[in-house]
Amino acid sequence: MVFAVVMKALCQFFSVLIGLVAALGMVPSLIPFLGALNWLVLVLCVVGIIFGVFPERKIGLTINIAVGVVALVRLILGSGVV
């Protein structure tokens, strides 16, 4: 029982941490000619989403989905995803 609570807390921590790192990585990728960084941001967001599914509080999941949507829209607008 205690192990499950600790694992959920760790998953939440890692999800939020990955989401913040992805958000910080997305900032320079919004600059023209650096849009390829959005691919790395999307990979980080997917990993963060996987960690964010398990805890009860979904703050990490929300951060990762929001960052992932912005990165995906930026890739679509920059013709990185056809």
Side-chain angles (χ1 to χ4, degrees):
M1 184 70 173
V2 174
F3 180 72
V5 172
V6 171
M7 288 306 295
K8 286 182 181 182
L10 280 175
C11 283
Q12 179 179 351
F13 172 74
F14 285 130
S15 178
V16 171
L17 183 69
I18 291 170
L20 293 177
V21 169
L24 288 175
M26 188 182 64
V27 172
S29 69
L30 294 175
I31 300 171
F33 301 112
L34 295 176
L37 288 174
N38 282 318
W39 288 107
L40 177 65
V41 170
L42 280 177
V43 170
L44 283 174
C45 286
V46 168
V47 173
I49 288 170
I50 291 170
F51 278 112
V53 169
F54 299 111
E56 284 87 18
R57 296 179 61 203
K58 303 294 184 188
I59 185 70
L61 182 67
T62 306
I63 292 171
N64 285 301
I65 288 175
V67 171
V69 166
V70 172
L72 187 63
V73 168
R74 171 65 171 91
L75 276 171
I76 290 171
L77 290 177
S79 300
V81 176
V82 179

